């Protein structure tokens, strides 16, 4: 074994040990032996791997919950009502604060308007009540007009902002 300091850029270096050998023993190789399955068994597609998953029934969503038929039908009806001054439906505009559907098909819609002085302040809640009441499965439709929290443009969906050129 010899040791020679190797300077780098004129700075003396620590001595490096160098050892010369004839050969290096190879590391042991991994061996796969005594495996109970063949490669085809291991990597082949098992026919039953999806059986349990495919046999599961979808979770039943109550008709009044988001994803339920009545709830989704009410939201679709709300998306057909447009603010006369803004070419966006009232749902995407963020005027609908909540839709509650009970087991008996009673629907309560909580909504607001863009301002209390809105020209449709008298007619819009009546139109919402009429349209929601016409949805199959709805027995009674109630519209609650609220002013708190006040509406602001931040309540609009991205689709509404895109339609109005605000994105």
């Amino acid at each position: 074994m010899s040791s020679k300091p190797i300077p780098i850029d004129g700075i003396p270096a620590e001595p490096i040990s160098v050892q010369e050998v004839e050969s290096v023993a190879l590391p042991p190789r991994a061996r796969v032996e005594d495996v109970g399955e063949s490669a085809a068994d291991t990597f082949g597609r098992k026919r039953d791997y999806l059986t349990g998953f495919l046999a599961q029934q979808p979770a039943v969503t109550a008709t009044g919950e988001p994803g339920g038929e009545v709830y989704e039908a009410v939201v679709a009806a709300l998306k057909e009502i447009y603010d006369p001054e803004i070419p966006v439906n009232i749902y995407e505009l963020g005027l609908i604060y909540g839709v509650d559907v009970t087991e008996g098909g009673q629907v309560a819609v909580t909504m607001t308007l863009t301002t209390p002085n809105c020209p449709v302040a008298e007619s819009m809640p009546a139109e919402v009540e009429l349209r929601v009441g016409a949805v199959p499965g709805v027995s009674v439709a109630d519209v609650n007009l609220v002013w708190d929290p006040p509406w602001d443009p931040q309540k609009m969906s991205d689709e509404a902002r895109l339609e109005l050129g605000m994105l």
Side-chain angles (χ1 to χ4, degrees), residues 65-145:
E65 294 179 10
E69 345 178 328
V70 174
Y71 179 88
E72 295 300 327
V74 168
V75 169
L78 292 170
K79 287 183 177 181
E80 292 177 358
I81 303 170
Y82 284 79
D83 186 299
E85 296 175 328
I86 305 170
V88 176
N89 70 63
I90 62 172
Y91 191 84
E92 299 296 336
L93 198 54
L95 297 178
I96 304 300
Y97 287 171
V99 175
D100 297 317
V101 182
T102 65
E103 290 294 322
Q106 295 177 337
V107 177
V109 176
T110 304
M111 66 174 293
T112 192
L113 298 172
T114 53
T115 67
N117 299 327
C118 183
V120 293
E122 291 182 25
S123 64
M124 183 68 72
E127 183 179 356
V128 169
E129 186 174 340
L130 182 69
R131 296 271 189 108
V132 170
V135 171
V138 174
S139 60
V140 176
D142 290 320
V143 175
N144 302 316
L145 188 61

Side-chain angles (χ1 to χ4, degrees), residues 37-77:
E37 297 179 332
S38 68
D41 292 336
T42 303
F43 298 113
R45 182 174 179 187
K46 306 240 189 274
R47 294 278 180 209
D48 60 348
Y49 78 104
L50 283 178
T51 304
F53 176 75
L54 294 175
Q56 290 178 357
Q57 295 298 319
V60 177
T61 304
T63 59
E65 294 179 10
E69 345 178 328
V70 174
Y71 179 88
E72 295 300 327
V74 168
V75 169

